[in-house]
Amino acid sequence: MNWKKIGHKLKKIFVILFLAQLVYIILLKWVDPPITITQLVSWGSGYGLKRDYIAWKEMSPNAPLAVMSSEDQLFPVHNGFDWKSIEKAIKYNDRKKASAIRGGSTISQQVAKNVFLWQGRSWTRKGLEAYFTFMIEKIWGKKRILEVYLNVSEMGRGVFGIEAASHYYFKKPARKLTQREAALIAANLPNPKKYKVNPPSPYMERRATWIVSQMNYLRGDDDIDALLKGKTEEKKGYRH
């Protein structure tokens, strides 16, 4: 067995795979993901696949503001990782063991997982998630990351993206979502297969009310406003 020849072939395969994924990341800066593993699993599990990708300008400003208020309030200023939240999540999970897992993922990390990877908690997946998070932060920028997040996130059983969710729950396009409607959809994100948006449970009502209060608090923040107006790419760096 020629180990040198085998090593050369493996190296060649690695280079090809690396270049292929790099080209794919770059393409997705402008092209919507054709399909994701999570969407395929949803379809294969019998939940169906409702989705309708739309551009940033076709979304109500309430939609990105609601998901940032709910999921990642430091999104405009971190570098893809919110280390304080991650540390808190680790400590919480150590105390609770496996009974109640809390996540510390940013919107960027969730996009990396949803677009390129599979659901799960293995160290291999987390390592790949960190890599793809770093890459999309560098290549896509904040506005594109948030746009993709709002298009690929599961927002109900077999419902993916803000446009499909808006039609499914409120019979209207995403550009017409009110603040409360956007907050209800955002409230659903931690467990879209469990929570009901319309009609909402008492828990969902409370959570949506909290999200609306956070939206009102964050509206007017310089970094949030810059992102919502599409001016984030002009910023010279990130605040921590």
Side-chain angles (χ1 to χ4, degrees), residues 2 4 13 16 22 54 60-61 64-65 71 88 115 121 142 148 153 157 160 177 190-191 193 195 202 226:
N2 191 330
K4 187 175 181 180
I13 291 171
I16 291 172
L22 181 58
I54 57 174
S60 164
L65 182 58
E71 297 290 296
K88 286 181 180 179
V115 173
R121 295 184 178 276
K142 293 292 185 179
V148 172
S153 294
R157 291 192 176 191
F160 292 85
L177 282 173
N191 198 335
K193 286 186 173 67
Y195 300 136

Side-chain angles (χ1 to χ4, degrees), residues 122-155:
S122 70
W123 286 110
T124 299
R125 193 197 64 77
K126 294 300 288 184
L128 289 170
E129 178 187 296
Y131 166 77
F132 283 112
T133 298
F134 174 81
M135 294 299 285
I136 62 175
E137 280 278 339
K138 294 297 183 182
I139 295 173
W140 292 5
K142 293 292 185 179
K143 180 181 174 182
R144 179 57 177 163
I145 291 172
L146 190 54
E147 181 181 33
V148 172
Y149 179 81
L150 285 161
N151 273 314
V152 304
S153 294
E154 188 172 13
M155 298 179 175

